[in-house]
Amino acid sequence: PKGMGKTQFARYLAEALLCQQANQSGACGRCHDCTLLMHGNHPDLYWVESQDESPIKIDSIRGLQDEFVTTSYSGRRKIIMFKPAEQLN
């Protein structure tokens, strides 16, 4: 259901996975990757969102294929966030 905090949890998990100095509490909030995440422009975090509750089309996913063939910016991992995931077509 809406309002459970799925997006917040997914963002928290993505931050912990991308952080250079993550610990048991999550992302450090101080490293270069955390700074990029706080400003909303980390090059290894991709958001695919449905604009008006319409299905997320396969063309949106295909557009990301070229990005995921190359290595990540930080050399660790790349993450795609689908919002809402249940709208994937």
Side-chain angles (χ1 to χ4, degrees), residues 2-16 47 81-83:
K2 283 188 173 190
M4 288 184 55
K6 297 180 297 274
T7 302
Q8 287 178 304
F9 174 74
R11 181 153 185 90
Y12 178 82
L13 181 60
E15 288 171 356
W47 285 89
M81 305 285 274
F82 298 101
K83 182 179 176 183

PDB file of all heavy atoms in Angstrom, residues 2-16 47 81-83:
ATOM      1  N   LYS A   2       0.281   2.348  -0.485  1.00  0.00           N
ATOM      2  CA  LYS A   2       0.975   3.634  -0.472  1.00  0.00           C
ATOM      3  C   LYS A   2       1.212   4.082   0.961  1.00  0.00           C
ATOM      4  O   LYS A   2       0.427   3.773   1.860  1.00  0.00           O
ATOM      5  CB  LYS A   2       0.155   4.695  -1.203  1.00  0.00           C
ATOM      6  CG  LYS A   2       0.214   4.582  -2.684  1.00  0.00           C
ATOM      7  CD  LYS A   2      -0.451   5.770  -3.338  1.00  0.00           C
ATOM      8  CE  LYS A   2      -0.214   5.712  -4.827  1.00  0.00           C
ATOM      9  NZ  LYS A   2      -0.615   6.938  -5.490  1.00  0.00           N
ATOM     10  N   GLY A   3       2.303   4.818   1.161  1.00  0.00           N
ATOM     11  CA  GLY A   3       2.595   5.391   2.461  1.00  0.00           C
ATOM     12  C   GLY A   3       3.363   4.489   3.416  1.00  0.00           C
ATOM     13  O   GLY A   3       3.554   4.834   4.572  1.00  0.00           O
ATOM     14  N   MET A   4       3.812   3.340   2.961  1.00  0.00           N
ATOM     15  CA  MET A   4       4.551   2.414   3.830  1.00  0.00           C
ATOM     16  C   MET A   4       6.015   2.791   3.972  1.00  0.00           C
ATOM     17  O   MET A   4       6.697   2.279   4.843  1.00  0.00           O
ATOM     18  CB  MET A   4       4.466   0.984   3.295  1.00  0.00           C
ATOM     19  CG  MET A   4       3.126   0.346   3.466  1.00  0.00           C
ATOM     20  SD  MET A   4       3.115  -1.368   2.915  1.00  0.00           S
ATOM     21  CE  MET A   4       4.427  -2.082   3.847  1.00  0.00           C
ATOM     22  N   GLY A   5       6.514   3.647   3.083  1.00  0.00           N
ATOM     23  CA  GLY A   5       7.919   4.033   3.147  1.00  0.00           C
ATOM     24  C   GLY A   5       8.807   3.220   2.217  1.00  0.00           C
ATOM     25  O   GLY A   5      10.014   3.136   2.429  1.00  0.00           O
ATOM     26  N   LYS A   6       8.224   2.626   1.182  1.00  0.00           N
ATOM     27  CA  LYS A   6       9.008   1.814   0.245  1.00  0.00           C
ATOM     28  C   LYS A   6      10.074   2.641  -0.457  1.00  0.00           C
ATOM     29  O   LYS A   6      11.218   2.200  -0.575  1.00  0.00           O
ATOM     30  CB  LYS A   6       8.086   1.148  -0.790  1.00  0.00           C
ATOM     31  CG  LYS A   6       7.096   0.169  -0.206  1.00  0.00           C
ATOM     32  CD  LYS A   6       6.231  -0.453  -1.283  1.00  0.00           C
ATOM     33  CE  LYS A   6       5.382   0.531  -2.004  1.00  0.00           C
ATOM     34  NZ  LYS A   6       4.103   0.876  -1.455  1.00  0.00           N
ATOM     35  N   THR A   7       9.724   3.848  -0.888  1.00  0.00           N
ATOM     36  CA  THR A   7      10.678   4.707  -1.577  1.00  0.00           C
ATOM     37  C   THR A   7      11.783   5.137  -0.625  1.00  0.00           C
ATOM     38  O   THR A   7      12.967   5.133  -0.988  1.00  0.00           O
ATOM     39  CB  THR A   7       9.982   5.931  -2.181  1.00  0.00           C
ATOM     40  OG1 THR A   7       8.968   5.484  -3.083  1.00  0.00           O
ATOM     41  CG2 THR A   7      10.961   6.815  -2.925  1.00  0.00           C
ATOM     42  N   GLN A   8      11.422   5.486   0.607  1.00  0.00           N
ATOM     43  CA  GLN A   8      12.434   5.882   1.592  1.00  0.00           C
ATOM     44  C   GLN A   8      13.378   4.732   1.881  1.00  0.00           C
ATOM     45  O   GLN A   8      14.593   4.928   1.984  1.00  0.00           O
ATOM     46  CB  GLN A   8      11.769   6.330   2.899  1.00  0.00           C
ATOM     47  CG  GLN A   8      11.105   7.678   2.796  1.00  0.00           C
ATOM     48  CD  GLN A   8      10.421   8.029   4.102  1.00  0.00           C
ATOM     49  OE1 GLN A   8       9.585   7.279   4.595  1.00  0.00           O
ATOM     50  NE2 GLN A   8      10.794   9.161   4.648  1.00  0.00           N
ATOM     51  N   PHE A   9      12.830   3.528   2.032  1.00  0.00           N
ATOM     52  CA  PHE A   9      13.683   2.369   2.294  1.00  0.00           C
ATOM     53  C   PHE A   9      14.607   2.099   1.118  1.00  0.00           C
ATOM     54  O   PHE A   9      15.804   1.845   1.299  1.00  0.00           O
ATOM     55  CB  PHE A   9      12.848   1.124   2.594  1.00  0.00           C
ATOM     56  CG  PHE A   9      13.677  -0.110   2.715  1.00  0.00           C
ATOM     57  CD1 PHE A   9      14.455  -0.324   3.848  1.00  0.00           C
ATOM     58  CD2 PHE A   9      13.711  -1.052   1.697  1.00  0.00           C
ATOM     59  CE1 PHE A   9      15.249  -1.464   3.956  1.00  0.00           C
ATOM     60  CE2 PHE A   9      14.491  -2.181   1.808  1.00  0.00           C
ATOM     61  CZ  PHE A   9      15.267  -2.391   2.937  1.00  0.00           C
ATOM     62  N   ALA A  10      14.074   2.156  -0.103  1.00  0.00           N
ATOM     63  CA  ALA A  10      14.888   1.900  -1.295  1.00  0.00           C
ATOM     64  C   ALA A  10      16.001   2.937  -1.412  1.00  0.00           C
ATOM     65  O   ALA A  10      17.145   2.604  -1.739  1.00  0.00           O
ATOM     66  CB  ALA A  10      14.013   1.911  -2.539  1.00  0.00           C
ATOM     67  N   ARG A  11      15.690   4.185  -1.133  1.00  0.00           N
ATOM     68  CA  ARG A  11      16.712   5.242  -1.180  1.00  0.00           C
ATOM     69  C   ARG A  11      17.774   5.011  -0.099  1.00  0.00           C
ATOM     70  O   ARG A  11      18.959   5.155  -0.351  1.00  0.00           O
ATOM     71  CB  ARG A  11      16.074   6.616  -1.021  1.00  0.00           C
ATOM     72  CG  ARG A  11      17.097   7.721  -1.080  1.00  0.00           C
ATOM     73  CD  ARG A  11      16.505   9.018  -1.572  1.00  0.00           C
ATOM     74  NE  ARG A  11      17.532  10.005  -1.724  1.00  0.00           N
ATOM     75  CZ  ARG A  11      18.242  10.208  -2.831  1.00  0.00           C
ATOM     76  NH1 ARG A  11      18.017   9.498  -3.900  1.00  0.00           N
ATOM     77  NH2 ARG A  11      19.160  11.135  -2.878  1.00  0.00           N
ATOM     78  N   TYR A  12      17.365   4.656   1.099  1.00  0.00           N
ATOM     79  CA  TYR A  12      18.296   4.375   2.192  1.00  0.00           C
ATOM     80  C   TYR A  12      19.230   3.227   1.812  1.00  0.00           C
ATOM     81  O   TYR A  12      20.440   3.305   2.029  1.00  0.00           O
ATOM     82  CB  TYR A  12      17.500   4.038   3.460  1.00  0.00           C
ATOM     83  CG  TYR A  12      18.352   3.677   4.638  1.00  0.00           C
ATOM     84  CD1 TYR A  12      18.924   4.666   5.432  1.00  0.00           C
ATOM     85  CD2 TYR A  12      18.597   2.349   4.966  1.00  0.00           C
ATOM     86  CE1 TYR A  12      19.712   4.342   6.520  1.00  0.00           C
ATOM     87  CE2 TYR A  12      19.386   2.016   6.055  1.00  0.00           C
ATOM     88  CZ  TYR A  12      19.936   3.010   6.821  1.00  0.00           C
ATOM     89  OH  TYR A  12      20.724   2.679   7.884  1.00  0.00           O
ATOM     90  N   LEU A  13      18.674   2.177   1.224  1.00  0.00           N
ATOM     91  CA  LEU A  13      19.477   1.036   0.800  1.00  0.00           C
ATOM     92  C   LEU A  13      20.446   1.433  -0.312  1.00  0.00           C
ATOM     93  O   LEU A  13      21.621   1.067  -0.283  1.00  0.00           O
ATOM     94  CB  LEU A  13      18.574  -0.107   0.342  1.00  0.00           C
ATOM     95  CG  LEU A  13      19.260  -1.382  -0.101  1.00  0.00           C
ATOM     96  CD1 LEU A  13      20.091  -1.983   1.020  1.00  0.00           C
ATOM     97  CD2 LEU A  13      18.215  -2.392  -0.580  1.00  0.00           C
ATOM     98  N   ALA A  14      19.978   2.202  -1.291  1.00  0.00           N
ATOM     99  CA  ALA A  14      20.844   2.656  -2.381  1.00  0.00           C
ATOM    100  C   ALA A  14      21.988   3.516  -1.843  1.00  0.00           C
ATOM    101  O   ALA A  14      23.135   3.364  -2.275  1.00  0.00           O
ATOM    102  CB  ALA A  14      20.033   3.440  -3.412  1.00  0.00           C
ATOM    103  N   GLU A  15      21.683   4.394  -0.898  1.00  0.00           N
ATOM    104  CA  GLU A  15      22.732   5.238  -0.309  1.00  0.00           C
ATOM    105  C   GLU A  15      23.779   4.381   0.397  1.00  0.00           C
ATOM    106  O   GLU A  15      24.977   4.624   0.265  1.00  0.00           O
ATOM    107  CB  GLU A  15      22.112   6.230   0.671  1.00  0.00           C
ATOM    108  CG  GLU A  15      21.324   7.324  -0.015  1.00  0.00           C
ATOM    109  CD  GLU A  15      20.539   8.186   0.958  1.00  0.00           C
ATOM    110  OE1 GLU A  15      20.531   7.893   2.181  1.00  0.00           O
ATOM    111  OE2 GLU A  15      19.923   9.157   0.487  1.00  0.00           O
ATOM    112  N   ALA A  16      23.329   3.384   1.135  1.00  0.00           N
ATOM    113  CA  ALA A  16      24.275   2.509   1.833  1.00  0.00           C
ATOM    114  C   ALA A  16      25.122   1.705   0.845  1.00  0.00           C
ATOM    115  O   ALA A  16      26.315   1.489   1.081  1.00  0.00           O
ATOM    116  CB  ALA A  16      23.522   1.566   2.768  1.00  0.00           C
ATOM    117  N   TRP A  47      16.837   6.821 -11.686  1.00  0.00           N
ATOM    118  CA  TRP A  47      15.433   6.740 -11.316  1.00  0.00           C
ATOM    119  C   TRP A  47      14.598   6.601 -12.578  1.00  0.00           C
ATOM    120  O   TRP A  47      14.757   7.379 -13.520  1.00  0.00           O
ATOM    121  CB  TRP A  47      14.987   8.006 -10.585  1.00  0.00           C
ATOM    122  CG  TRP A  47      15.463   8.080  -9.183  1.00  0.00           C
ATOM    123  CD1 TRP A  47      16.639   8.610  -8.737  1.00  0.00           C
ATOM    124  CD2 TRP A  47      14.790   7.597  -8.030  1.00  0.00           C
ATOM    125  NE1 TRP A  47      16.742   8.485  -7.379  1.00  0.00           N
ATOM    126  CE2 TRP A  47      15.601   7.866  -6.913  1.00  0.00           C
ATOM    127  CE3 TRP A  47      13.575   6.950  -7.822  1.00  0.00           C
ATOM    128  CZ2 TRP A  47      15.231   7.514  -5.624  1.00  0.00           C
ATOM    129  CZ3 TRP A  47      13.212   6.617  -6.532  1.00  0.00           C
ATOM    130  CH2 TRP A  47      14.037   6.890  -5.450  1.00  0.00           C
ATOM    131  N   MET A  81      16.369   2.630  -9.751  1.00  0.00           N
ATOM    132  CA  MET A  81      15.205   2.688  -8.869  1.00  0.00           C
ATOM    133  C   MET A  81      13.964   2.864  -9.748  1.00  0.00           C
ATOM    134  O   MET A  81      13.908   3.800 -10.543  1.00  0.00           O
ATOM    135  CB  MET A  81      15.321   3.869  -7.914  1.00  0.00           C
ATOM    136  CG  MET A  81      16.595   3.884  -7.118  1.00  0.00           C
ATOM    137  SD  MET A  81      16.607   2.702  -5.820  1.00  0.00           S
ATOM    138  CE  MET A  81      15.819   3.654  -4.568  1.00  0.00           C
ATOM    139  N   PHE A  82      13.003   1.964  -9.597  1.00  0.00           N
ATOM    140  CA  PHE A  82      11.737   2.053 -10.320  1.00  0.00           C
ATOM    141  C   PHE A  82      10.667   2.549  -9.357  1.00  0.00           C
ATOM    142  O   PHE A  82      10.491   1.984  -8.285  1.00  0.00           O
ATOM    143  CB  PHE A  82      11.327   0.689 -10.873  1.00  0.00           C
ATOM    144  CG  PHE A  82      12.304   0.125 -11.850  1.00  0.00           C
ATOM    145  CD1 PHE A  82      13.203  -0.862 -11.464  1.00  0.00           C
ATOM    146  CD2 PHE A  82      12.345   0.584 -13.145  1.00  0.00           C
ATOM    147  CE1 PHE A  82      14.101  -1.373 -12.360  1.00  0.00           C
ATOM    148  CE2 PHE A  82      13.253   0.067 -14.058  1.00  0.00           C
ATOM    149  CZ  PHE A  82      14.141  -0.920 -13.654  1.00  0.00           C
ATOM    150  N   LYS A  83       9.976   3.605  -9.768  1.00  0.00           N
ATOM    151  CA  LYS A  83       8.933   4.149  -8.903  1.00  0.00           C
ATOM    152  C   LYS A  83       7.677   4.441  -9.712  1.00  0.00           C
ATOM    153  O   LYS A  83       7.725   5.283 -10.592  1.00  0.00           O
ATOM    154  CB  LYS A  83       9.419   5.430  -8.236  1.00  0.00           C
ATOM    155  CG  LYS A  83       8.413   6.017  -7.292  1.00  0.00           C
ATOM    156  CD  LYS A  83       8.945   7.269  -6.653  1.00  0.00           C
ATOM    157  CE  LYS A  83       7.864   7.881  -5.792  1.00  0.00           C
ATOM    158  NZ  LYS A  83       8.287   9.119  -5.212  1.00  0.00           N
TER     159      LYS A  83
END
